[in-house]
Amino acid sequence: MAIKVYGSDFSIGTYRVLLCLAEKDIDFELVTVHLASGEHKKPHILARNPFGQIPAFEDGDIKLFESRAIAQYISRTYADKGTCLINMDPKKAALEAVWIEVEAHHFNRATTALMWELCMKQFLFGQNGDEDIVNAEEKKLVSVLDVYEARLSESKYLGGDSFSLADLSHAPMIKHLMGTEMKRVFDAQPHVSAWVADILSRPACVKVFGVPVY
Amino acid sequence: MTIKVYGSMFSTATLRVLLCLAEKDIDFELITVDLASQEHKKPHMLARNPFGQLPAFEDGDLKLFESRAIARYISRTYAGKGTDLINPDPKKAALEDVWLEVEAHKFDPVVGKLVWELCMKRFLFGQNGDEDIVNEEEKKLGSVLDVYEARLSESKYLGGDSFSLADLSHAPMTNFLMGTEMKRVFNARPHVSAWVADMLARPACVKVFGVSAY
């Protein structure tokens, strides 16, 4: 198979790439990297991602890492296949690019610690999250989602009228947090809540994550 | 003037955008936003960047924020003008995207703290940097630059044979740090050191930053 994804469950970056491939109905082979045994820090994976992280990606002789770069590659290279993830109109694509950056910096920073406290600690060590950290991080998430609520009051999707990579990029983290007490933060904002329901019920999300339980 | 940049010369993100415009020899108007009086948090600026940060950007009726999104917009929209900042070959552009993400996620968090401690605290408040933070971040910078050294041993620029947005994106923070004790971390690695010297000697860098002092 030309396309290989080296990744794992509970890896937001891996899911970001799998969602792109699912939106575009592209075949690929998933090569599981065992985080628990530190496989991502072993030489054969460091050769693919020098920072020892997942996912890593291969399409024939192209080898990439960094899930957002991989997502851009898939969206552009397979522009004609399945869902169009980058708007053909460069001005609209520019707005999508803004919200791709907002996800990478503001949303990511407001959610990574919550993912660790409320999902990863349970999965990896059977531990509960630290309440003080969760409370502090929740406030940051609320502030960020206030901005999203304002944006989504103006347009159906972050980049404009159409679903794009800007929205997709958020789905893995949102999916995980909607299964935790942080659901209330997303549900508290009506436009954000509608947007979340819409993106998580997309066939590609259902295929990668399963039917939303909430 | 169609293109307006709302920013500050103390903002590395603003400088990222100014470098793009300089590389492409594009005219623009710089509207200085006064950080000291918190102008970036005032309503007229929040209307342009809802996170209250710099820069904001305008090209005719298109309004953008997030410097890396703005840089991509400039690179694509003005592709025929001045330096080519995104490789027209999609496979090569994909490698450039990888290193753009590395800049955003691995390089920027570390150098951002160092620039704050060693440059901004002095410019803004006349204060010295916190020694413990500087020591800790210097170690992290060393680890990150080890990966860059390996990459730059294989290719002249981060994305491949040609200078691209992937390299340019590093220039503002690097320029600040080369004027501090952190210069030693870059200079300890021969390929990184050569890449820095090459980049900061570019006419666009000289135009935006002035002649390199080191």
XYZ file of all heavy atoms in Angstrom, chain B residues 151-206:
431
model
N 19.217 17.722 10.436
C 18.484 18.035 9.206
C 19.347 18.874 8.260
O 19.434 18.584 7.071
C 17.192 18.787 9.560
C 16.443 19.348 8.347
C 16.070 18.261 7.373
N 15.351 18.772 6.209
C 15.181 18.111 5.078
N 15.688 16.880 4.949
N 14.513 18.633 4.073
N 19.990 19.901 8.808
C 20.760 20.816 7.957
C 22.082 20.212 7.492
O 22.766 20.792 6.651
C 20.957 22.153 8.669
C 19.657 22.938 8.869
C 19.827 24.037 9.917
C 19.165 23.553 7.553
N 22.431 19.053 8.029
C 23.588 18.301 7.502
C 23.199 17.595 6.204
O 24.063 17.220 5.410
C 24.078 17.253 8.500
O 24.246 17.819 9.767
N 21.886 17.380 6.029
C 21.381 16.684 4.835
C 20.976 17.649 3.735
O 20.929 17.260 2.574
C 20.095 15.921 5.145
C 20.139 14.910 6.236
C 18.743 14.367 6.536
O 17.728 15.070 6.350
O 18.712 13.209 7.003
N 20.558 18.859 4.118
C 20.088 19.791 3.095
C 20.363 21.217 3.532
O 20.418 21.521 4.721
C 18.606 19.574 2.803
O 17.802 20.176 3.760
N 20.581 22.076 2.531
C 21.042 23.438 2.818
C 20.015 24.236 3.613
O 20.370 25.037 4.472
C 21.368 24.149 1.502
C 22.012 25.507 1.742
C 22.505 26.190 0.493
C 23.223 27.500 0.929
N 23.403 28.438 -0.172
N 18.744 24.018 3.259
C 17.665 24.699 3.963
C 16.738 23.655 4.566
O 16.805 22.477 4.226
C 16.906 25.614 2.996
C 17.767 26.736 2.481
C 18.341 26.700 1.212
C 18.053 27.839 3.302
C 19.160 27.728 0.762
C 18.876 28.874 2.856
C 19.429 28.810 1.595
O 20.240 29.825 1.163
N 15.860 24.057 5.450
C 15.033 23.098 6.172
C 14.135 22.288 5.253
O 13.957 21.092 5.431
C 14.196 23.812 7.244
C 14.999 24.344 8.421
C 14.106 25.183 9.316
C 15.659 23.218 9.221
N 13.557 22.955 4.227
C 12.632 22.248 3.347
C 13.323 21.492 2.233
O 12.697 20.668 1.567
N 14.596 21.793 2.010
C 15.313 21.180 0.884
C 16.406 22.104 0.374
O 17.059 22.799 1.155
N 16.590 22.158 -0.970
C 17.702 22.950 -1.529
C 17.449 24.448 -1.541
O 18.393 25.218 -1.687
C 17.937 22.558 -2.999
C 18.208 21.081 -3.144
O 18.925 20.546 -2.286
O 17.693 20.488 -4.116
N 16.169 24.833 -1.490
C 15.848 26.258 -1.631
C 15.340 26.870 -0.336
O 14.638 26.208 0.441
C 14.743 26.449 -2.677
O 15.031 25.723 -3.831
N 15.649 28.144 -0.145
C 15.106 28.927 0.963
C 13.589 28.965 0.817
O 13.064 29.073 -0.296
C 15.664 30.355 0.900
C 15.156 31.263 1.981
C 15.714 31.222 3.257
C 14.127 32.160 1.728
C 15.250 32.069 4.267
C 13.664 33.023 2.729
C 14.221 32.968 3.997
N 12.880 28.825 1.921
C 11.424 28.845 1.855
C 10.846 29.478 3.120
O 11.580 29.863 4.033
C 10.864 27.426 1.702
O 10.942 26.743 2.942
N 9.537 29.530 3.176
C 8.821 30.022 4.341
C 9.241 29.255 5.597
O 9.247 29.798 6.706
C 7.319 29.840 4.085
C 6.331 30.592 4.955
C 6.639 32.069 5.014
C 4.929 30.367 4.376
N 9.586 27.975 5.424
C 10.001 27.148 6.569
C 11.206 27.767 7.265
O 11.281 27.814 8.489
C 10.315 25.719 6.124
N 12.163 28.280 6.495
C 13.341 28.932 7.080
C 12.971 30.313 7.605
O 13.246 30.671 8.750
C 14.448 29.071 6.035
C 14.746 27.761 5.334
O 15.385 26.887 5.941
O 14.288 27.601 4.165
N 12.296 31.092 6.739
C 11.937 32.485 7.067
C 11.223 32.589 8.401
O 11.459 33.505 9.193
C 11.047 33.060 5.942
C 10.567 34.495 6.074
C 10.299 35.084 4.684
C 9.311 34.606 6.921
N 10.342 31.621 8.665
C 9.527 31.627 9.870
C 10.359 31.646 11.160
O 9.886 32.095 12.194
C 8.607 30.404 9.841
O 7.350 30.743 10.332
N 11.590 31.152 11.065
C 12.486 31.108 12.225
C 13.255 32.403 12.447
O 13.843 32.608 13.499
C 13.553 30.018 12.032
C 13.033 28.627 12.050
N 12.355 28.055 10.986
C 13.092 27.677 13.017
C 12.037 26.814 11.299
N 12.454 26.541 12.505
N 13.293 33.241 11.406
C 14.227 34.373 11.441
C 13.995 35.393 12.560
O 14.956 35.826 13.186
C 14.282 35.043 10.070
N 12.736 35.809 12.830
C 12.564 36.847 13.857
C 13.098 36.449 15.231
O 13.859 37.192 15.844
C 11.050 37.069 13.872
C 10.577 36.667 12.511
C 11.454 35.518 12.136
N 12.707 35.274 15.727
C 13.180 34.822 17.044
C 14.691 34.634 17.025
O 15.393 35.030 17.963
C 12.516 33.500 17.442
C 11.057 33.625 17.816
S 10.857 34.373 19.460
C 9.067 34.177 19.668
N 15.191 34.016 15.951
C 16.626 33.762 15.841
C 17.403 35.069 15.864
O 18.425 35.179 16.550
C 16.937 32.969 14.557
O 16.206 31.747 14.576
C 18.417 32.656 14.437
N 16.909 36.052 15.130
C 17.602 37.344 15.105
C 17.716 37.950 16.505
O 18.777 38.419 16.898
C 16.882 38.308 14.177
C 17.642 39.612 14.019
O 18.794 39.621 13.599
N 17.027 40.711 14.393
N 16.621 37.899 17.269
C 16.678 38.418 18.642
C 17.701 37.636 19.471
O 18.503 38.218 20.184
C 15.303 38.317 19.326
C 14.393 39.485 19.044
C 13.209 39.308 18.343
C 14.707 40.764 19.507
C 12.348 40.380 18.100
C 13.846 41.839 19.259
C 12.671 41.645 18.560
N 17.646 36.307 19.364
C 18.513 35.494 20.237
C 19.984 35.596 19.887
O 20.853 35.441 20.751
C 18.054 34.033 20.234
C 16.747 33.783 20.983
C 16.406 32.293 20.958
C 16.805 34.273 22.424
N 20.305 35.856 18.595
C 21.704 35.995 18.202
C 22.328 37.256 18.818
O 23.537 37.412 18.821
C 21.848 36.001 16.679
C 21.582 34.644 16.022
S 22.622 33.284 16.640
C 24.165 33.631 15.779
N 21.488 38.147 19.353
C 21.985 39.319 20.073
C 22.079 39.071 21.574
O 22.258 40.000 22.355
N 21.940 37.824 22.002
C 21.999 37.473 23.430
C 22.995 36.341 23.655
O 23.570 35.818 22.697
C 20.627 36.975 23.939
O 20.396 35.655 23.407
C 19.493 37.904 23.531
N 23.166 35.928 24.904
C 24.048 34.808 25.251
C 23.627 33.505 24.564
O 24.427 32.573 24.467
C 24.070 34.622 26.774
C 22.678 34.521 27.385
C 22.643 34.623 28.918
O 22.928 33.600 29.568
O 22.305 35.712 29.423
N 22.422 33.416 24.064
C 21.960 32.208 23.385
C 22.633 31.993 22.029
O 22.530 30.907 21.445
C 20.437 32.213 23.196
C 19.659 32.040 24.496
S 20.124 30.528 25.402
C 20.956 31.241 26.838
N 23.308 33.001 21.558
C 24.119 32.912 20.339
C 24.993 31.651 20.391
O 25.156 30.942 19.393
C 24.982 34.175 20.334
C 25.876 34.424 19.182
C 26.615 35.765 19.481
C 27.682 36.015 18.534
N 28.305 36.300 17.634
N 25.497 31.330 21.584
C 26.415 30.193 21.723
C 25.743 28.868 21.366
O 26.384 27.960 20.862
C 27.005 30.125 23.152
C 25.973 29.879 24.237
C 26.566 29.869 25.658
N 25.481 29.838 26.648
C 25.392 30.664 27.688
N 26.303 31.595 27.909
N 24.368 30.564 28.526
N 24.434 28.754 21.607
C 23.723 27.500 21.344
C 23.631 27.264 19.833
O 23.817 26.153 19.350
C 22.313 27.499 21.979
C 21.672 26.121 21.866
C 22.378 27.906 23.437
N 23.370 28.330 19.102
C 23.315 28.235 17.644
C 24.717 27.998 17.076
O 24.911 27.136 16.208
C 22.721 29.512 17.033
C 21.261 29.724 17.341
C 20.867 30.378 18.500
C 20.280 29.269 16.470
C 19.520 30.574 18.789
C 18.925 29.468 16.745
C 18.546 30.114 17.911
N 25.698 28.760 17.569
C 27.050 28.676 17.016
C 27.763 27.369 17.332
O 28.707 26.999 16.626
C 27.894 29.869 17.483
C 27.490 31.154 16.776
O 26.809 31.107 15.748
N 27.895 32.284 17.309
N 27.305 26.659 18.358
C 27.928 25.374 18.720
C 27.636 24.289 17.677
O 28.237 23.216 17.713
C 27.410 24.921 20.087
N 26.699 24.572 16.793
C 26.304 23.556 15.802
C 26.605 24.115 14.415
O 25.922 25.049 13.966
C 24.810 23.235 15.980
C 24.564 22.556 17.333
C 23.133 22.684 17.847
N 22.984 21.903 19.080
C 23.265 22.364 20.304
N 23.695 23.605 20.484
N 23.123 21.581 21.361
N 27.626 23.553 13.735
C 28.150 24.194 12.510
C 27.123 24.408 11.398
O 27.108 25.476 10.766
C 29.272 23.255 12.044
C 29.170 22.021 12.875
C 28.416 22.360 14.109
N 26.256 23.408 11.134
C 25.293 23.587 10.043
C 24.216 24.583 10.428
O 23.776 25.389 9.608
C 24.679 22.234 9.638
C 25.669 21.310 9.020
N 26.441 20.437 9.755
C 26.051 21.143 7.723
C 27.243 19.772 8.950
N 27.031 20.178 7.711
N 23.780 24.544 11.682
C 22.800 25.513 12.174
C 23.391 26.924 12.085
O 22.752 27.857 11.602
C 22.398 25.215 13.640
C 21.614 26.380 14.241
C 21.582 23.930 13.723
N 24.653 27.053 12.517
C 25.324 28.351 12.521
C 25.401 28.934 11.106
O 25.126 30.119 10.884
C 26.723 28.176 13.115
O 27.394 29.408 13.127
N 25.762 28.068 10.142
C 25.869 28.521 8.747
C 24.505 28.916 8.204
O 24.364 29.920 7.484
C 26.478 27.411 7.884
N 23.485 28.153 8.557
C 22.111 28.431 8.106
C 21.640 29.769 8.676
O 21.069 30.590 7.954
C 21.216 27.278 8.559
C 19.740 27.450 8.453
C 18.979 27.444 7.318
C 18.829 27.605 9.544
N 17.644 27.584 7.626
C 17.519 27.686 8.990
C 18.970 27.671 10.941
C 16.369 27.835 9.786
C 17.837 27.815 11.723
C 16.544 27.900 11.142
N 21.918 30.019 9.938
C 21.541 31.283 10.573
C 22.228 32.464 9.887
O 21.585 33.459 9.525
C 21.883 31.281 12.086
C 21.761 32.688 12.677
C 20.984 30.310 12.850
N 23.538 32.320 9.672
C 24.299 33.413 9.045
C 23.759 33.709 7.646
O 23.566 34.871 7.260
C 25.777 33.040 8.979
N 23.491 32.654 6.905
C 22.972 32.780 5.538
C 21.625 33.506 5.548
O 21.386 34.469 4.801
C 22.842 31.356 4.954
C 22.192 31.325 3.582
O 20.993 31.663 3.460
O 22.874 30.929 2.622
N 20.748 33.070 6.428
C 19.394 33.613 6.476
C 19.395 35.083 6.902
O 18.734 35.921 6.290
C 18.592 32.786 7.482
C 17.140 33.094 7.528
S 16.200 31.743 8.286
C 16.886 31.694 9.942
N 20.161 35.402 7.960
C 20.125 36.766 8.485
C 20.864 37.764 7.592
O 20.707 38.980 7.738
C 20.662 36.820 9.927
C 19.842 36.030 10.962
C 20.379 36.238 12.374
C 18.365 36.412 10.919
N 21.659 37.229 6.638
C 22.347 38.104 5.688
C 21.502 38.387 4.453
O 21.880 39.193 3.601
C 23.678 37.459 5.267
N 20.340 37.744 4.351
C 19.476 37.971 3.189
C 19.053 39.434 3.145
O 18.773 40.045 4.193
C 18.230 37.086 3.243
C 18.530 35.602 3.065
C 17.249 34.789 3.160
N 16.371 35.032 2.020
C 16.471 34.421 0.835
N 17.409 33.505 0.644
N 15.637 34.699 -0.141
N 18.967 40.007 1.943
C 18.565 41.420 1.838
C 17.253 41.733 2.589
O 17.145 42.766 3.230
C 18.394 41.613 0.324
C 19.340 40.633 -0.280
C 19.363 39.449 0.638
N 16.294 40.830 2.519
C 15.019 41.078 3.208
C 15.222 41.169 4.720
O 14.616 42.020 5.386
C 14.005 39.993 2.872
N 16.061 40.308 5.269
C 16.342 40.353 6.708
C 17.078 41.635 7.077
O 16.755 42.276 8.084
C 17.169 39.140 7.153
S 16.162 37.662 7.429
N 18.041 42.009 6.261
C 18.784 43.234 6.536
C 17.833 44.426 6.499
O 17.884 45.314 7.346
C 19.934 43.401 5.525
C 20.596 44.766 5.674
C 20.963 42.281 5.700
